[in-house]
Amino acid sequence: MNAPAPVSPGSPAATLRGALAGLLDGLPPRQAAQAVERLIATYRGATPTAAPILRDRADVVAYAAYRMPATFEAVRSALTAFADAVPGWTPGDHLDLGGGTGAAAWAASATWDGKRPVTVLDWAEPALALGRELAAAHPALADTRWQGSRIGAALTLEPADLVTVSYVLNELTGADRTALVDAAAGAARSVVIVEPGTPDGYARVIEARDRLIRAGLRVAAPCPHSAACPIVPGTDWCHFSARVSRSSLHRQVKGGSLAYEDEKFSYVAATRLPVHPAPARVVRKPQIRKGQVLLDLCETDQALRRTTVTKRHGDLYRAARDTDWGAPWPPPAGEAY
Ligand SMILES: C[S@@+](CC[C@H](N)C(=O)[O-])C[C@H]1O[C@@H](n2cnc3c(N)ncnc32)[C@H](O)[C@@H]1O
């Protein structure tokens, strides 16, 4: 993946970018950077917390401007992989749990055309208020319901076609995490969970994946199967990368002048729908050598294998040069290669 995904004018991604840029209008850059630094320090502290981390407008503006473009791109990548595995299906409604300022609602809107009932649930009222403000810029999300609720054992969910849980599990106690995944599995036709692409994030995804399978769902992505993950715990972690354009705020906080950064994420998409998982998935950045491409694949028979595609493979070699970390392999029929 060499450049951020193209952003066509009028698309949800472009509208979100514009709405986020407007947030910082009039806010002195130093003040915005300080709010981000405060937030980063809070997130480095102990989580879960007894009360919301996002307490006020400054916190949520900092979160939205600094983190939301990245969580949006990570969730969009996961939803795109999920959509590829359930071709022709479009969610009739969407419930986003721990949705904060609404990144996953925007990502679903960028994945499936049209308008659907959307509910974003979170306990941080300032996050919901800002989410509503941002969504006003996008007609497909203008009627979104912003529901103030605490995720925990007492949470009950109405049936939903699609439930998303992005970058939330880390903020919950073990008991609340279990309650959330079980509630989502009971209420949803399809569940998509996204976590940071770290060993701990992957471990939380695997724990959730096991619970979703036990509840009768099948894995649609990234895995080509619903059997156990072949990674030996502690030796590696399955994660992917989404390219995100850096805003001026990012450059100010992180220094340097790079126009983009790579958001690493782990995810699982599971469903009760008939599913067509990829025959294999590229699980590391492809290594392009002279006349050959090395692909690390996770395959249907639960094996992790390296395959070498050489010039002698003709069209397949050209496809291998174009493929990406996280893509299905071989490219689905109908995609040129
Ligand atoms: C890191 S943010 C992720 C927000 C959004 N899903 C995204 O991907 O950008 C975590 C969110 O989970 C919410 N959250 C954490 N614990 C919660 C709880 N017990 N009940 C409800 N929301 C919670 C926080 O308020 C926050 O909005």
Side-chain angles (χ1 to χ4, degrees):
M1 196 175 288
N2 299 319
V7 177
S8 17
S11 65
T15 309
L16 176 60
R17 192 182 286 182
L20 290 175
L23 268 185
L24 296 173
D25 284 352
L27 193 65
R30 188 65 218 132
Q31 203 176 322
Q34 277 166 355
V36 171
E37 276 152 11
R38 221 177 30 241
L39 205 60
I40 292 171
T42 313
Y43 271 107
R44 274 204 199 107
T47 52
T49 54
I53 292 173
L54 302 172
R55 295 154 312 172
D56 55 27
R57 173 94 186 165
D59 284 348
V60 292
V61 165
Y63 181 83
Y66 189 69
R67 282 299 294 153
M68 198 175 165
T71 59
F72 165 80
E73 288 299 351
V75 180
R76 177 160 69 158
S77 294
L79 293 180
T80 302
F82 172 54
D84 288 346
V86 287
W89 182 77
T90 298
D93 55 13
H94 175 199
L95 171 61
D96 183 28
L97 299 172
T101 50
W106 284 84
S109 178
T111 307
W112 292 281
D113 289 339
K115 196 169 173 171
R116 62 194 56 86
V118 179
T119 300
V120 177
L121 180 152
D122 203 286
W123 67 350
E125 292 291 347
L128 296 172
L130 183 64
R132 179 184 285 116
E133 229 177 88
L134 293 168
H138 184 33
L141 295 180
D143 299 332
T144 296
R145 185 169 155 235
W146 301 89
Q147 182 185 334
S149 296
R150 182 187 184 287
I151 295 166
L155 182 69
T156 52
L157 302 176
E158 294 297 313
D161 252 6
L162 173 68
V163 168
T164 49
V165 183
S166 73
Y167 291 84
V168 179
L169 297 183
N170 178 38
E171 298 194 13
L172 303 177
T173 61
D176 285 351
R177 225 163 32 227
T178 303
L180 173 64
V181 174
D182 290 351
R189 222 185 232 189
S190 302
V191 180
V192 179
I193 294 177
V194 183
E195 282 286 291
T198 58
D200 286 350
Y202 161 72
R204 287 186 293 272
V205 165
I206 285 298
E207 189 186 302
R209 180 185 185 275
D210 289 346
R211 298 197 81 81
L212 294 171
I213 293 168
R214 279 206 295 276
L217 285 78
R218 293 190 59 207
V219 177
C223 330
H225 57 78
S226 295
C229 174
I231 293 177
V232 178
T235 61
D236 200 355
W237 69 102
C238 177
H239 64 293
F240 301 94
S241 182
R243 191 147 278 188
V244 186
S245 294
R246 273 179 146 190
S247 64
S248 55
L249 179 62
H250 276 106
R251 288 197 282 269
Q252 196 177 336
V253 173
K254 290 202 168 165
S257 57
L258 263 186
Y260 60 82
E261 60 184 24
D262 292 325
E263 173 70 11
K264 304 291 192 321
F265 64 98
S266 292
Y267 75 99
V268 62
T271 184
R272 297 182 189 282
L273 297 162
V275 68
H276 306 278
R281 191 167 301 274
V282 181
V283 291
R284 282 190 194 288
K285 200 169 159 32
Q287 292 183 42
I288 302 185
R289 306 259 168 84
K290 200 168 181 306
Q292 59 179 21
V293 182
L294 310 186
L295 297 178
D296 289 305
L297 300 174
C298 182
E299 301 192 338
T300 318
D301 61 355
Q302 270 182 280
L304 290 164
R305 274 193 198 95
R306 171 165 290 184
T307 191
T308 303
V309 188
T310 68
K311 268 192 173 159
R312 282 190 295 112
H313 291 100
D315 287 346
L316 200 61
Y317 169 69
R318 279 184 284 286
R321 289 185 64 89
D322 286 347
T323 198
D324 231 332
W325 182 7
W329 184 260
E335 274 180 29
Y337 71 85

Coordinates of all heavy atoms in Angstrom, one line a residue, residues 43 52-54 63 68 71 75 96-104 121-124 127 149-152 166-168 171-172 176, ligand 1:
Y43 N -4.5 8.0 27.8 CA -4.6 6.6 27.2 C -3.4 5.7 27.6 O -3.5 4.5 27.7 CB -4.7 6.7 25.7 CG -6.2 6.7 25.3 CD1 -6.7 7.9 24.8 CD2 -7.0 5.7 25.4 CE1 -8.1 8.0 24.4 CE2 -8.4 5.7 25.1 CZ -8.9 6.9 24.6 OH -10.2 7.0 24.2
P52 N -15.9 7.8 31.9 CA -15.3 8.0 30.5 C -14.0 8.8 30.5 O -13.8 9.7 31.3 CB -16.5 8.9 29.9 CG -17.7 8.5 30.6 CD -17.3 8.3 32.0
I53 N -13.1 8.4 29.6 CA -11.9 9.2 29.4 C -12.2 10.5 28.7 O -11.6 11.5 28.9 CB -10.9 8.3 28.6 CG1 -10.4 7.1 29.4 CG2 -9.7 9.1 28.1 CD1 -9.6 6.1 28.6
L54 N -13.1 10.4 27.7 CA -13.4 11.6 26.9 C -14.5 12.4 27.8 O -15.7 12.1 27.7 CB -14.0 11.2 25.6 CG -13.1 10.3 24.7 CD1 -13.8 9.8 23.5 CD2 -11.9 11.1 24.3
Y63 N -9.7 14.0 20.2 CA -9.8 12.6 19.7 C -10.2 12.6 18.3 O -9.6 11.8 17.5 CB -10.9 11.8 20.6 CG -11.0 10.4 20.1 CD1 -10.1 9.5 20.5 CD2 -11.9 10.1 19.2 CE1 -10.1 8.2 20.0 CE2 -12.0 8.8 18.7 CZ -11.1 7.8 19.1 OH -11.1 6.5 18.6
M68 N -9.7 9.9 14.9 CA -10.8 9.4 14.1 C -10.4 9.1 12.7 O -10.9 8.1 12.1 CB -11.9 10.5 14.2 CG -13.3 9.9 13.8 SD -14.5 11.2 14.1 CE -15.9 10.5 13.2
T71 N -9.0 5.6 12.9 CA -10.0 4.5 13.3 C -10.9 4.3 12.1 O -11.3 3.2 11.8 CB -10.7 4.7 14.6 OG1 -11.4 6.0 14.6 CG2 -9.7 4.8 15.8
V75 N -11.4 0.7 10.3 CA -12.7 0.0 10.3 C -13.1 -0.1 8.8 O -13.7 -1.1 8.4 CB -13.8 0.8 11.1 CG1 -15.1 0.1 11.0 CG2 -13.3 0.9 12.5
D96 N -23.4 0.7 16.4 CA -21.9 0.8 16.7 C -21.7 1.0 18.2 O -22.2 2.0 18.8 CB -21.4 2.1 15.9 CG -19.9 2.2 16.1 OD1 -19.2 1.2 16.4 OD2 -19.5 3.4 16.0
L97 N -21.1 0.0 18.8 CA -21.0 0.0 20.3 C -19.7 0.6 20.7 O -18.6 0.3 20.2 CB -21.1 -1.5 20.8 CG -22.4 -2.2 20.4 CD1 -22.3 -3.7 20.8 CD2 -23.6 -1.5 21.2
G98 N -19.7 1.5 21.7 CA -18.5 2.3 22.0 C -18.1 3.1 20.9 O -16.9 3.3 20.6
G99 N -19.1 3.7 20.2 CA -18.8 4.3 18.9 C -18.2 5.7 19.0 O -17.8 6.2 18.0
G100 N -18.2 6.3 20.2 CA -17.5 7.6 20.3 C -18.1 8.6 19.4 O -19.3 8.9 19.3
T101 N -17.2 9.2 18.6 CA -17.6 10.3 17.7 C -18.1 9.7 16.3 O -18.3 10.5 15.4 CB -16.4 11.2 17.4 OG1 -15.2 10.5 17.1 CG2 -16.1 12.1 18.7
G102 N -18.2 8.4 16.2 CA -18.9 7.8 15.0 C -18.0 7.3 13.9 O -18.5 7.1 12.8
A103 N -16.8 7.0 14.2 CA -15.9 6.6 13.1 C -16.4 5.4 12.3 O -16.4 5.4 11.1 CB -14.5 6.3 13.6
A104 N -17.0 4.4 13.0 CA -17.4 3.2 12.3 C -18.7 3.5 11.6 O -19.0 2.8 10.5 CB -17.6 2.1 13.4
L121 N -23.7 4.0 20.2 CA -23.9 3.9 21.6 C -22.6 4.1 22.3 O -21.5 3.6 21.9 CB -24.4 2.5 22.0 CG -24.7 2.1 23.4 CD1 -25.8 1.1 23.5 CD2 -23.5 1.6 24.2
D122 N -22.6 5.0 23.3 CA -21.3 5.3 24.1 C -21.7 5.9 25.4 O -22.9 6.4 25.6 CB -20.5 6.3 23.3 CG -19.0 6.2 23.7 OD1 -18.6 6.7 24.8 OD2 -18.2 5.7 22.9
W123 N -20.8 5.8 26.4 CA -21.2 6.5 27.7 C -20.6 7.9 27.8 O -20.9 8.6 28.8 CB -20.7 5.6 28.9 CG -19.2 5.4 29.1 CD1 -18.2 5.8 28.2 CD2 -18.6 4.8 30.2 NE1 -17.0 5.5 28.7 CE2 -17.2 4.9 30.0 CE3 -19.0 4.3 31.4 CZ2 -16.3 4.4 30.9 CZ3 -18.1 3.8 32.3 CH2 -16.7 3.8 32.0
A124 N -19.8 8.3 26.8 CA -19.2 9.7 26.8 C -20.1 10.6 26.1 O -20.1 10.7 24.9 CB -17.8 9.6 26.2
A127 N -18.6 13.0 23.5 CA -18.3 12.3 22.2 C -19.5 12.1 21.3 O -19.5 12.4 20.1 CB -17.7 10.9 22.5
S149 N -25.2 5.2 26.8 CA -25.4 4.0 27.6 C -24.0 3.5 28.0 O -23.1 3.6 27.3 CB -26.1 2.9 26.8 OG -27.4 3.2 26.5
R150 N -24.0 2.8 29.1 CA -22.8 2.1 29.6 C -22.7 0.7 29.1 O -23.7 0.0 29.2 CB -22.8 2.2 31.1 CG -21.5 1.6 31.7 CD -21.5 1.5 33.2 NE -20.3 1.0 33.7 CZ -19.8 -0.2 33.6 NH1 -20.5 -1.1 33.0 NH2 -18.6 -0.6 34.1
I151 N -21.6 0.3 28.6 CA -21.4 -1.1 28.2 C -21.1 -1.9 29.5 O -20.1 -1.5 30.2 CB -20.3 -1.2 27.2 CG1 -20.7 -0.5 25.8 CG2 -19.9 -2.7 26.9 CD1 -19.5 -0.3 24.9
G152 N -21.8 -3.0 29.7 CA -21.5 -3.8 30.9 C -22.5 -4.9 30.9 O -23.3 -5.1 30.0
S166 N -15.3 -0.9 17.6 CA -13.9 -0.5 17.2 C -13.2 0.2 18.2 O -13.6 1.2 18.7 CB -14.0 0.2 15.9 OG -14.4 1.5 16.0
Y167 N -12.0 -0.3 18.6 CA -11.1 0.3 19.5 C -11.8 0.5 20.9 O -11.5 1.5 21.5 CB -10.5 1.6 19.0 CG -9.6 1.4 17.8 CD1 -10.1 1.3 16.5 CD2 -8.2 1.4 18.0 CE1 -9.3 1.1 15.4 CE2 -7.4 1.2 16.9 CZ -7.9 1.1 15.6 OH -7.0 0.9 14.5
V168 N -12.5 -0.5 21.3 CA -13.3 -0.4 22.5 C -12.9 -1.5 23.6 O -12.8 -1.2 24.8 CB -14.8 -0.5 22.3 CG1 -15.6 -0.4 23.6 CG2 -15.3 0.5 21.3
E171 N -10.8 -0.8 26.5 CA -11.2 0.1 27.6 C -12.1 -0.6 28.6 O -12.6 0.0 29.5 CB -11.9 1.3 27.0 CG -10.9 2.1 26.1 CD -11.4 3.5 25.8 OE1 -12.3 4.0 26.4 OE2 -10.7 4.1 24.9
L172 N -12.4 -1.9 28.4 CA -13.3 -2.6 29.2 C -12.7 -3.6 30.2 O -11.6 -4.1 29.8 CB -14.3 -3.4 28.4 CG -15.1 -2.5 27.3 CD1 -16.0 -3.4 26.5 CD2 -15.9 -1.4 28.0
D176 N -16.7 -7.1 31.4 CA -17.5 -6.3 30.5 C -17.3 -6.6 29.0 O -18.1 -6.6 28.1 CB -17.3 -4.8 30.7 CG -17.9 -4.3 32.0 OD1 -18.7 -5.0 32.6 OD2 -17.6 -3.1 32.4
Ligands
LIG1 C1 -10.8 4.6 21.7 S1 -12.5 5.2 21.7 C2 -13.1 4.5 20.1 C3 -14.2 5.2 19.6 C4 -14.7 4.7 18.2 N1 -15.3 3.4 18.3 C5 -13.6 4.8 17.2 O1 -13.3 3.7 16.6 O2 -13.1 5.9 16.9 C6 -13.3 4.1 22.9 C7 -14.7 4.5 23.1 O3 -15.3 3.5 23.9 C8 -16.2 4.2 24.9 N2 -16.3 3.4 26.1 C9 -15.3 2.9 26.8 N3 -15.8 2.2 27.9 C10 -17.2 2.2 27.7 C11 -18.3 1.7 28.5 N4 -18.1 1.0 29.6 N5 -19.5 2.0 28.1 C12 -19.8 2.8 27.0 N6 -18.8 3.3 26.2 C13 -17.5 3.0 26.6 C14 -15.4 5.5 25.1 O4 -16.2 6.5 25.7 C15 -14.9 5.8 23.7 O5 -15.8 6.6 23.0

